[in-house]
Amino acid sequence: MLRISQLLVDLYGCGAELDDTGFLMGVLEEAADVVGARIVRRVAERFSPVGVSVVLILAETHLSVHTWPELGYAAVDVFFCSEGKDPHRAWEVIKGALRPESFEVREIVRTIGNKGE
Amino acid sequence: MLRISQLLVDLYGCGAELDDTGFLMGVLEEAADVVGARIVRRVAERFSPVGVSVVLILAETHLSVHTWPELGYAAVDVFFCSEGKDPHRAWEVIKGALRPESFEVREIVRTIGNKGE
């Protein structure tokens, strides 16, 4: 049994380029690296006319960002199912890169594994 | 501005085969279909010795499942950034397929877009 924190963050008024797939991929890679998470798959999808989804599948679950560049909005999920990988450190990397004017962080504690153990 | 509900669900004691990538992909596809979400990318990853991650990138954000077959545990995220797509309907499909003995559903209301609008 493992109790971990997942972060769901809404970012408003981002100063960064939210329609740049390569940039967003790099941001998530850096966020994974800072906590020592292992990236097993990189997925990026561009929408028409604008908008990007980037997901990193990790050995420790996932990191995702979905953007609405026309609104300056991004939705970020930070989910590390491993002890000692602080999602707040990853979020700090993402915040520094996307430069939101404001944001809302929700921290959800999840019990991974067998509740009885 | 759009307010939507995201569901984070922990499933314990699942009766279904949690190491079967094709099965899990089919479950998420059905969950997307039931609400009329449009699938733009299917991603599946198997871990050694066991464990599966399946993510569907949707026009309306994402659906994901990560499994620990040895524990009968699965972590499901249902995130539809679109009005009229009820995440509870998708969760009912997933619950029916994975057959957990118990589960915990967290519903997080997110404000998508521009908070001021």
Side-chain angles (χ1 to χ4, degrees):
Chain A
M1 196 270 278
L2 178 66
R3 287 174 70 80
I4 59 94
S5 286
Q6 181 171 357
L7 303 184
L8 306 182
V9 192
D10 296 295
L11 297 85
Y12 305 99
C14 291
E17 178 48 75
L18 296 184
D19 209 34
D20 183 335
T21 307
F23 164 72
L24 293 167
M25 181 67 80
V27 172
L28 292 196
E29 287 174 342
E30 189 182 340
D33 285 347
V34 79
V35 300
R38 185 167 65 84
I39 300 166
V40 298
R41 184 81 78 89
R42 293 162 173 81
V43 186
E45 198 66 41
R46 290 198 82 244
F47 293 91
S48 178
V50 290
V52 171
S53 289
V54 177
V55 178
L56 298 186
I57 308 280
L58 308 170
E60 306 84 358
T61 323
H62 73 250
L63 273 174
S64 69
V65 59
H66 304 278
T67 71
W68 282 252
E70 71 280 23
L71 301 172
Y73 169 81
V76 168
D77 291 18
V78 181
F79 186 14
F80 298 136
C81 61
S82 172
E83 276 175 313
K85 300 210 183 321
D86 180 2
H88 296 278
R89 286 186 64 201
W91 156 234
E92 287 297 323
V93 168
I94 296 166
K95 182 170 66 176
L98 299 192
R99 294 179 282 119
E101 286 175 4
S102 66
F103 54 86
E104 185 165 14
V105 179
R106 317 297 181 84
E107 180 166 353
I108 295 91
V109 177
R110 299 179 76 154
T111 302
I112 306 294
N114 188 328
K115 284 204 105 166
E117 283 178 4
Chain B
M1 200 267 278
L2 179 65
R3 287 174 70 79
I4 59 93
S5 286
Q6 180 171 357
L7 303 184
L8 306 182
V9 192
D10 296 295
L11 297 85
Y12 305 99
C14 291
E17 177 49 74
L18 296 184
D19 210 33
D20 183 335
T21 306
F23 164 71
L24 294 167
M25 182 67 80
V27 172
L28 292 196
E29 288 174 340
E30 188 182 341
D33 284 347
V34 79
V35 300
R38 184 167 65 86
I39 300 167
V40 297
R41 184 82 79 89
R42 294 162 173 80
V43 186
E45 197 67 40
R46 290 198 82 244
F47 294 91
S48 178
V50 291
V52 171
S53 289
V54 177
V55 178
L56 298 186
I57 309 278
L58 308 171
E60 305 83 358
T61 324
H62 72 248
L63 273 175
S64 69
V65 60
H66 304 278
T67 71
W68 282 251
E70 72 280 24
L71 301 171
Y73 170 80
V76 168
D77 291 17
V78 180
F79 186 14
F80 299 136
C81 62
S82 172
E83 277 177 312
K85 301 210 181 324
D86 181 1
H88 296 278
R89 287 185 64 200
W91 156 235
E92 287 297 322
V93 168
I94 296 167
K95 181 170 66 175
L98 299 192
R99 295 178 282 119
E101 287 174 4
S102 66
F103 54 85
E104 185 165 13
V105 179
R106 318 295 182 87
E107 180 165 352
I108 295 91
V109 177
R110 299 180 77 156
T111 303
I112 306 293
N114 187 329
K115 284 203 107 166
E117 283 179 3

